[in-house]
Amino acid sequence: MKNHNFAVIMAGGVGSRFRPVSTQQNPKQFQDILGCGETLIQSTFRRLKRIVPFNQIYILTNAAYKETVLKQLPEIDERQLVLEPAMRNTAPCILLAAMKIFKIDSEARMLVAPSDHWIQNMEEFQADMELAFQMAGESDKLVTFGIKPSMPSTGFGYIQYQPSSEEEIYKVDRFIEKPDFQTAVAFLLTGNYLWNSGIFVWKASVILQQFRVYLPVMYLLFSQGEEFYNTENEQDFVNSEFEKAENISIDYGIIEKAAEVYVIPASFSWNDLGTWGSIQGELPQDTAGNTVVNSRFIARNSEGNIVRTTAEKIVFMEGLKDYMVLEDEGVLLIVPKKKEQEIKLIRQQVMQQYGTQLG
Protein backbone atom coordinates (compact mmCIF):
# COMPACT_ATOMS: atom_id res chain seq x y z
CA MET A 1 0.00 0.00 0.00
CA LYS A 2 1.41 3.35 -1.02
CA ASN A 3 2.47 5.70 1.76
CA HIS A 4 1.27 9.23 0.99
CA ASN A 5 3.13 10.88 3.88
CA PHE A 6 6.01 13.20 2.99
CA ALA A 7 8.07 15.53 5.16
CA VAL A 8 9.99 18.72 4.45
CA ILE A 9 12.77 19.90 6.75
CA MET A 10 13.62 23.61 6.53
CA ALA A 11 17.36 23.97 7.07
CA GLY A 12 18.40 27.18 5.35
CA GLY A 13 18.77 29.60 8.29
CA VAL A 14 22.01 30.94 9.74
CA GLY A 15 21.10 30.93 13.47
CA SER A 16 22.45 34.42 14.06
CA ARG A 17 21.43 34.51 17.73
CA PHE A 18 23.70 31.51 18.38
CA ARG A 19 26.91 33.36 17.51
CA PRO A 20 29.78 32.73 17.76
CA VAL A 21 29.17 28.96 17.50
CA SER A 22 26.60 29.29 14.70
CA THR A 23 28.08 31.04 11.67
CA GLN A 24 26.99 31.56 8.10
CA GLN A 25 29.52 28.92 7.05
CA ASN A 26 28.42 26.43 9.72
CA PRO A 27 24.95 27.34 11.10
CA LYS A 28 23.44 25.82 14.22
CA GLN A 29 21.30 23.17 12.50
CA PHE A 30 24.50 21.40 11.43
CA GLN A 31 26.04 21.46 14.89
CA ASP A 32 25.66 19.51 18.10
CA ILE A 33 24.52 22.57 20.02
CA LEU A 34 23.37 20.58 23.05
CA GLY A 35 26.34 18.24 23.19
CA CYS A 36 24.07 15.19 22.80
CA GLY A 37 26.04 13.35 20.12
CA GLU A 38 24.13 14.40 17.01
CA THR A 39 23.44 17.65 15.18
CA LEU A 40 20.03 19.31 15.25
CA ILE A 41 19.22 18.33 11.66
CA GLN A 42 20.23 14.73 12.39
CA SER A 43 17.91 14.73 15.41
CA THR A 44 15.04 16.15 13.33
CA PHE A 45 15.59 13.61 10.53
CA ARG A 46 15.69 10.72 13.00
CA ARG A 47 12.45 11.94 14.58
CA LEU A 48 10.61 12.25 11.26
CA LYS A 49 11.73 8.82 10.05
CA ARG A 50 9.38 7.34 12.65
CA ILE A 51 6.36 8.55 10.69
CA VAL A 52 7.57 9.18 7.12
CA PRO A 53 9.63 6.90 4.85
CA PHE A 54 13.22 8.21 4.86
CA ASN A 55 13.23 8.51 1.07
CA GLN A 56 10.16 10.80 1.24
CA ILE A 57 11.84 13.37 3.48
CA TYR A 58 13.05 16.47 1.64
CA ILE A 59 15.61 18.97 2.90
CA LEU A 60 15.19 22.65 2.03
CA THR A 61 18.52 24.42 2.41
CA ASN A 62 20.90 26.89 0.85
CA ALA A 63 22.97 25.55 -2.03
CA ALA A 64 26.12 26.31 -0.02
CA TYR A 65 25.17 23.60 2.50
CA LYS A 66 24.61 20.79 -0.01
CA GLU A 67 27.69 18.76 0.91
CA THR A 68 27.14 19.30 4.63
CA VAL A 69 23.60 17.91 4.40
CA LEU A 70 24.68 14.89 2.36
CA LYS A 71 27.48 14.16 4.83
CA GLN A 72 25.28 14.47 7.92
CA LEU A 73 22.32 12.59 6.41
CA PRO A 74 23.94 9.77 4.42
CA GLU A 75 20.60 7.97 3.97
CA ILE A 76 19.25 10.59 1.57
CA ASP A 77 20.27 11.26 -2.01
CA GLU A 78 20.50 14.45 -4.02
CA ARG A 79 16.96 14.20 -5.38
CA GLN A 80 15.72 14.87 -1.82
CA LEU A 81 17.49 18.23 -1.66
CA VAL A 82 15.81 21.49 -2.53
CA LEU A 83 18.75 23.84 -2.94
CA GLU A 84 18.04 27.56 -2.69
CA PRO A 85 20.51 29.76 -4.59
CA ALA A 86 19.44 32.76 -2.50
CA MET A 87 17.71 33.39 0.83
CA ARG A 88 14.02 34.08 0.22
CA ASN A 89 12.31 33.15 3.50
CA THR A 90 10.02 30.12 3.84
CA ALA A 91 7.22 30.59 1.29
CA PRO A 92 9.25 30.11 -1.92
CA CYS A 93 11.07 26.98 -0.78
CA ILE A 94 7.87 25.41 0.57
CA LEU A 95 6.12 26.10 -2.74
CA LEU A 96 8.99 24.52 -4.63
CA ALA A 97 8.91 21.44 -2.39
CA ALA A 98 5.12 21.15 -2.74
CA MET A 99 5.36 21.21 -6.52
CA LYS A 100 8.04 18.54 -6.51
CA ILE A 101 6.07 16.31 -4.14
CA PHE A 102 2.73 16.80 -5.92
CA LYS A 103 4.35 15.78 -9.21
CA ILE A 104 5.39 12.51 -7.55
CA ASP A 105 2.13 11.86 -5.69
CA SER A 106 -1.04 13.87 -6.26
CA GLU A 107 -2.45 12.50 -2.98
CA ALA A 108 0.59 13.46 -0.95
CA ARG A 109 0.34 14.89 2.55
CA MET A 110 3.20 17.14 3.65
CA LEU A 111 4.67 17.74 7.08
CA VAL A 112 6.78 20.91 7.19
CA ALA A 113 9.16 21.32 10.13
CA PRO A 114 12.19 23.47 11.03
CA SER A 115 15.49 21.64 11.37
CA ASP A 116 16.58 23.25 14.62
CA HIS A 117 13.82 22.49 17.14
CA TRP A 118 14.46 20.29 20.15
CA ILE A 119 11.57 17.88 20.67
CA GLN A 120 11.35 15.06 23.16
CA ASN A 121 8.54 12.61 24.01
CA MET A 122 8.78 10.71 20.73
CA GLU A 123 5.58 8.72 21.25
CA GLU A 124 3.54 11.87 21.84
CA PHE A 125 5.15 13.57 18.84
CA GLN A 126 4.35 10.61 16.61
CA ALA A 127 0.74 10.47 17.80
CA ASP A 128 0.25 14.21 17.17
CA MET A 129 1.74 14.00 13.67
CA GLU A 130 -0.39 10.97 12.76
CA LEU A 131 -3.50 12.84 13.90
CA ALA A 132 -2.50 15.80 11.73
CA PHE A 133 -1.85 13.58 8.71
CA GLN A 134 -5.26 12.00 9.19
CA MET A 135 -7.06 15.35 9.52
CA ALA A 136 -5.26 16.85 6.52
CA GLY A 137 -5.82 13.75 4.43
CA GLU A 138 -9.58 13.73 5.07
CA SER A 139 -10.15 17.45 4.41
CA ASP A 140 -8.70 20.68 3.04
CA LYS A 141 -7.48 21.76 6.47
CA LEU A 142 -4.12 23.46 6.97
CA VAL A 143 -2.99 22.01 10.30
CA THR A 144 -0.47 23.59 12.65
CA PHE A 145 0.70 22.80 16.16
CA GLY A 146 0.47 25.09 19.15
CA ILE A 147 2.58 24.86 22.28
CA LYS A 148 0.98 25.52 25.66
CA PRO A 149 2.80 28.58 27.05
CA SER A 150 4.90 27.96 30.15
CA MET A 151 5.57 31.68 30.67
CA PRO A 152 4.49 35.03 29.19
CA SER A 153 7.11 34.96 26.44
CA THR A 154 7.56 37.95 24.14
CA GLY A 155 9.79 35.93 21.82
CA PHE A 156 7.08 33.80 20.17
CA GLY A 157 4.08 34.41 17.97
CA TYR A 158 0.75 33.22 19.41
CA ILE A 159 -2.28 31.37 18.11
CA GLN A 160 -5.73 32.18 19.47
CA TYR A 161 -8.30 29.37 19.27
CA GLN A 162 -11.63 28.35 20.75
CA PRO A 163 -11.10 25.36 23.06
CA SER A 164 -13.62 22.55 23.39
CA SER A 165 -13.34 19.47 25.59
CA GLU A 166 -14.83 17.36 22.83
CA GLU A 167 -12.17 17.98 20.17
CA GLU A 168 -8.51 17.24 19.48
CA ILE A 169 -8.11 19.91 16.81
CA TYR A 170 -9.46 23.47 16.89
CA LYS A 171 -10.26 26.21 14.42
CA VAL A 172 -7.74 29.05 14.60
CA ASP A 173 -9.27 32.43 15.35
CA ARG A 174 -6.17 34.46 14.59
CA PHE A 175 -2.39 34.59 14.66
CA ILE A 176 -0.68 37.25 16.75
CA GLU A 177 2.84 38.53 16.23
CA LYS A 178 5.29 38.62 19.14
CA PRO A 179 3.45 40.61 21.85
CA ASP A 180 4.72 42.93 24.55
CA PHE A 181 5.02 41.54 28.06
CA GLN A 182 1.66 42.75 29.39
CA THR A 183 -0.17 41.30 26.39
CA ALA A 184 1.67 38.00 26.82
CA VAL A 185 0.60 37.89 30.47
CA ALA A 186 -3.02 38.46 29.42
CA PHE A 187 -2.76 35.64 26.87
CA LEU A 188 -1.46 33.29 29.54
CA LEU A 189 -4.31 34.16 31.91
CA THR A 190 -6.97 33.80 29.21
CA GLY A 191 -5.91 30.24 28.49
CA ASN A 192 -6.90 29.96 24.82
CA TYR A 193 -3.58 31.08 23.36
CA LEU A 194 -0.73 28.84 22.24
CA TRP A 195 2.78 29.52 21.04
CA ASN A 196 3.15 29.14 17.28
CA SER A 197 5.48 26.18 16.70
CA GLY A 198 6.06 26.71 12.99
CA ILE A 199 5.24 23.05 12.25
CA PHE A 200 2.55 22.39 9.60
CA VAL A 201 0.75 19.49 7.91
CA TRP A 202 -1.40 19.72 4.75
CA LYS A 203 -2.10 18.02 1.47
CA ALA A 204 0.26 19.11 -1.27
CA SER A 205 -2.72 19.85 -3.52
CA VAL A 206 -4.31 22.08 -0.87
CA ILE A 207 -1.24 24.21 -0.16
CA LEU A 208 -0.71 24.64 -3.90
CA GLN A 209 -4.26 25.96 -4.20
CA GLN A 210 -3.54 28.41 -1.36
CA PHE A 211 -0.49 29.68 -3.26
CA ARG A 212 -2.67 30.17 -6.34
CA VAL A 213 -5.02 32.35 -4.29
CA TYR A 214 -2.69 34.30 -1.99
CA LEU A 215 0.67 34.34 -3.80
CA PRO A 216 -0.33 33.99 -7.46
CA VAL A 217 2.76 35.68 -8.89
CA MET A 218 5.04 33.28 -7.06
CA TYR A 219 2.88 30.33 -8.07
CA LEU A 220 3.01 31.36 -11.73
CA LEU A 221 6.78 31.85 -11.55
CA PHE A 222 7.43 28.36 -10.20
CA SER A 223 4.79 26.71 -12.37
CA GLN A 224 6.98 27.46 -15.36
CA GLY A 225 9.41 24.85 -14.11
CA GLU A 226 6.94 22.00 -13.71
CA GLU A 227 8.45 19.93 -16.50
CA PHE A 228 11.88 20.21 -14.87
CA TYR A 229 10.99 19.18 -11.31
CA ASN A 230 12.51 15.88 -10.22
CA THR A 231 14.71 15.78 -13.31
CA GLU A 232 18.37 16.59 -13.93
CA ASN A 233 17.30 20.01 -15.25
CA GLU A 234 15.56 21.10 -12.05
CA GLN A 235 18.49 22.91 -10.46
CA ASP A 236 19.22 24.95 -13.59
CA PHE A 237 15.64 26.24 -13.54
CA VAL A 238 15.78 26.97 -9.81
CA ASN A 239 19.09 28.79 -10.18
CA SER A 240 17.70 31.03 -12.90
CA GLU A 241 14.27 31.80 -11.40
CA PHE A 242 14.36 31.42 -7.61
CA GLU A 243 15.78 34.86 -6.87
CA LYS A 244 12.79 36.44 -8.62
CA ALA A 245 10.44 35.12 -5.92
CA GLU A 246 9.08 37.43 -3.25
CA ASN A 247 10.94 37.33 0.06
CA ILE A 248 8.07 36.33 2.34
CA SER A 249 7.33 33.74 5.01
CA ILE A 250 4.67 31.07 4.70
CA ASP A 251 3.01 32.59 7.78
CA TYR A 252 2.63 36.08 6.32
CA GLY A 253 1.99 34.91 2.78
CA ILE A 254 -0.64 32.24 3.42
CA ILE A 255 -1.27 30.91 6.93
CA GLU A 256 -2.49 34.19 8.42
CA LYS A 257 -4.87 34.71 5.48
CA ALA A 258 -6.26 31.25 4.80
CA ALA A 259 -9.73 30.31 6.06
CA GLU A 260 -9.32 26.64 6.94
CA VAL A 261 -6.47 26.72 9.45
CA TYR A 262 -6.66 24.43 12.48
CA VAL A 263 -4.40 23.92 15.47
CA ILE A 264 -3.54 20.84 17.51
CA PRO A 265 -2.30 21.66 21.03
CA ALA A 266 0.95 19.70 21.11
CA SER A 267 1.32 16.92 23.65
CA PHE A 268 5.09 16.72 23.09
CA SER A 269 7.74 18.90 24.73
CA TRP A 270 9.16 21.57 22.43
CA ASN A 271 11.94 24.12 22.40
CA ASP A 272 12.78 26.20 19.35
CA LEU A 273 16.34 26.76 20.60
CA GLY A 274 16.08 30.36 19.52
CA THR A 275 18.66 31.72 21.94
CA TRP A 276 21.45 30.49 24.18
CA GLY A 277 19.21 31.04 27.18
CA SER A 278 16.65 28.65 25.74
CA ILE A 279 19.02 25.68 26.00
CA GLN A 280 19.25 25.83 29.79
CA GLY A 281 15.93 24.10 30.29
CA GLU A 282 17.07 21.22 28.06
CA LEU A 283 20.39 20.45 29.75
CA PRO A 284 21.50 19.41 33.24
CA GLN A 285 22.72 22.12 35.57
CA ASP A 286 25.13 21.90 38.48
CA THR A 287 24.10 22.80 42.02
CA ALA A 288 24.75 26.48 41.29
CA GLY A 289 22.59 26.47 38.14
CA ASN A 290 25.48 26.54 35.67
CA THR A 291 24.90 24.89 32.29
CA VAL A 292 28.03 23.42 30.70
CA VAL A 293 28.47 22.00 27.17
CA ASN A 294 31.69 20.33 25.98
CA SER A 295 33.78 21.80 28.80
CA ARG A 296 35.52 20.55 31.92
CA PHE A 297 34.25 23.15 34.33
CA ILE A 298 35.52 24.39 37.69
CA ALA A 299 33.51 27.15 39.39
CA ARG A 300 33.93 29.30 42.47
CA ASN A 301 31.15 31.60 43.58
CA SER A 302 29.64 31.43 40.09
CA GLU A 303 26.02 30.64 39.34
CA GLY A 304 23.43 30.64 36.56
CA ASN A 305 26.02 30.75 33.78
CA ILE A 306 26.06 29.11 30.33
CA VAL A 307 29.45 27.78 29.30
CA ARG A 308 30.12 26.24 25.89
CA THR A 309 33.62 25.77 24.50
CA THR A 310 35.43 23.53 22.08
CA ALA A 311 35.55 19.92 23.21
CA GLU A 312 37.02 19.14 26.63
CA LYS A 313 38.48 22.60 27.26
CA ILE A 314 39.07 23.30 30.94
CA VAL A 315 37.19 26.40 32.11
CA PHE A 316 37.86 27.97 35.51
CA MET A 317 35.37 30.62 36.56
CA GLU A 318 35.20 32.76 39.66
CA GLY A 319 32.71 35.42 40.68
CA LEU A 320 30.45 35.41 37.63
CA LYS A 321 26.67 35.22 37.78
CA ASP A 322 24.25 34.86 34.85
CA TYR A 323 26.88 35.15 32.14
CA MET A 324 27.39 33.39 28.82
CA VAL A 325 30.89 32.17 27.99
CA LEU A 326 30.80 30.95 24.39
CA GLU A 327 33.80 29.83 22.38
CA ASP A 328 34.36 28.74 18.84
CA GLU A 329 37.58 28.59 16.86
CA GLY A 330 39.07 32.08 16.91
CA VAL A 331 36.24 33.68 18.91
CA LEU A 332 35.49 33.95 22.63
CA LEU A 333 32.29 35.75 23.65
CA ILE A 334 31.67 36.71 27.31
CA VAL A 335 28.46 38.64 27.90
CA PRO A 336 25.66 38.77 30.51
CA LYS A 337 22.73 36.49 29.68
CA LYS A 338 20.41 39.48 29.74
CA LYS A 339 22.32 40.82 26.72
CA GLU A 340 21.78 37.73 24.56
CA GLN A 341 19.35 39.55 22.27
CA GLU A 342 22.24 41.90 21.41
CA ILE A 343 24.44 39.17 19.92
CA LYS A 344 23.51 40.29 16.40
CA LEU A 345 24.74 43.81 17.23
CA ILE A 346 27.89 42.41 18.82
CA ARG A 347 28.55 40.46 15.65
CA GLN A 348 28.24 43.60 13.56
CA GLN A 349 30.73 45.42 15.79
CA VAL A 350 33.23 42.58 15.65
CA MET A 351 32.97 42.32 11.86
CA GLN A 352 33.49 46.08 11.49
CA GLN A 353 36.64 45.94 13.59
CA TYR A 354 38.14 42.55 12.78
CA GLY A 355 36.45 41.27 9.65
CA THR A 356 34.46 38.07 9.42
CA GLN A 357 35.52 36.19 12.57
CA LEU A 358 31.94 35.87 13.79
CA GLY A 359 30.78 34.41 10.47
Side-chain angles (χ1 to χ4, degrees), residues 108-110 136-141 201-208:
R109 301 170 291 192
M110 291 173 57
E138 294 174 351
S139 68
D140 289 347
K141 291 181 174 68
V201 173
W202 45 53
K203 283 190 293 201
S205 59
V206 170
I207 195 63
L208 289 176

Side-chain angles (χ1 to χ4, degrees), residues 9-15 27 29-30 59-62 65 84 87 115:
I9 299 175
M10 296 182 290
V14 296
Q29 62 267 28
F30 303 122
I59 314 298
L60 314 185
T61 193
N62 190 278
Y65 305 139
E84 309 161 57
M87 297 188 71
S115 61

Side-chain angles (χ1 to χ4, degrees), residues 178-238:
K178 298 174 182 178
D180 59 35
F181 181 75
Q182 292 301 323
T183 302
V185 170
F187 289 169
L188 209 64
L189 293 174
T190 302
N192 63 324
Y193 290 84
L194 301 166
W195 289 338
N196 187 353
S197 72
I199 304 172
F200 306 100
V201 173
W202 45 53
K203 283 190 293 201
S205 59
V206 170
I207 195 63
L208 289 176
Q209 177 59 27
Q210 300 300 312
F211 271 99
R212 289 189 194 97
V213 173
Y214 296 110
L215 292 173
V217 175
M218 188 184 299
Y219 180 84
L220 182 60
L221 173 67
F222 285 5
S223 293
Q224 297 171 16
E226 183 177 0
E227 65 180 292
F228 304 122
Y229 296 144
N230 307 319
T231 75
E232 61 183 13
N233 297 315
E234 176 184 311
Q235 197 60 48
D236 288 339
F237 171 80
V238 173

Side-chain angles (χ1 to χ4, degrees), residues 83 136 188 269:
L83 300 174
L188 209 64
S269 64

